[in-house]
Amino acid sequence: MNKLLILLMLSVAFVFSANAQVANYAGKYEFSEDGGKTAGGTAVFVGHDLTINADGTGRLTAAGYQTSREIFFKTKSIGRKLQVIFDKYDADGTNMFTPYTRSEVLLTLEWRTVKGKKVLWTTFGQYEPVVNNAKKAGGSYFKKAK
C-alpha cells in the first residue's frame, strides 16, 4: 500500500512539474527575418509567430516572401527546456512543402540570461528559418509579442 501511495505521489508531482514548465513558456512570440531585397527590388521579409498554450499545444506560422506555413504542435518538457514537437499541418492537415513527420522536434526553447537579460533561447531542429542561417548552437530569435 505504501509503495502504491508513493508511486501515485510521484506521478502527481511529475504532472505538476511538466505543467509548471509549460506555464513558463505559455504566450505569443514573434521572430522576423529581413533578407534585404531581390534583384528586382522586392523585399525579402518573413515573419514567424509562435503561440504556446498553457495545455502544451500550440501553433507556429510563417508568412512573407514566398512563404506560408501553419503548423500545429505539442510540447514536451526536458529539464528546463521545452521541445516543440510536430503534430499536424494546418487545420486541413495539408502538407505545405516541408515533409515533417509526427513527433519530430521542430525546435527547442529555453529561458536563458544573456548579457544580463532574460531571453528565449531557440535551437532549431527540423524547423528552419527561411532567410537567416540559424546558428547550430542556437540563439535569441523569438521575442515576446507585444
Side-chain angles (χ1 to χ4, degrees):
M1 181 67 178
N2 283 340
K3 288 181 184 180
L4 182 60
L5 184 58
I6 290 171
L7 284 174
L8 181 60
M9 288 173 47
L10 287 173
S11 297
V12 169
F14 178 75
V15 169
F16 282 125
S17 172
N19 287 343
Q21 184 69 357
V22 172
N24 290 331
Y25 292 92
K28 294 183 180 189
Y29 305 90
E30 53 195 14
F31 162 46
S32 300
E33 298 180 89
D34 186 350
K37 295 187 177 185
T38 65
T42 303
V44 179
F45 180 85
V46 179
H48 304 263
D49 292 315
L50 176 70
T51 302
I52 302 171
N53 302 316
D55 68 357
T57 63
R59 187 177 103 171
L60 177 59
T61 62
Y65 181 75
Q66 298 184 346
T67 304
S68 179
R69 298 179 186 161
E70 183 177 28
I71 299 169
F72 291 90
F73 62 82
K74 295 180 180 181
T75 61
K76 179 180 180 183
S77 297
I78 306 289
R80 293 183 1 218
K81 298 178 181 182
L82 189 73
Q83 289 183 331
V84 172
I85 300 168
F86 178 76
D87 185 37
K88 64 181 181 178
Y89 292 97
D90 63 6
D92 298 330
T94 308
N95 180 337
M96 298 177 304
F97 310 113
T98 308
Y100 300 118
T101 57
R102 205 169 221 161
S103 301
E104 271 187 315
V105 176
L106 299 174
L107 49 98
T108 302
L109 304 170
E110 177 183 11
W111 287 111
R112 288 190 183 178
T113 301
V114 177
K115 296 180 183 176
K117 292 177 110 178
K118 186 177 177 182
V119 299
L120 184 61
W121 195 264
T122 305
T123 305
F124 289 96
Q126 294 302 314
Y127 186 86
E128 295 179 353
V130 176
V131 178
N132 292 341
N133 291 325
K135 296 175 188 170
K136 193 71 171 167
S140 177
Y141 298 103
F142 285 94
K143 311 280 189 246
K144 196 80 158 162
K146 296 176 184 174

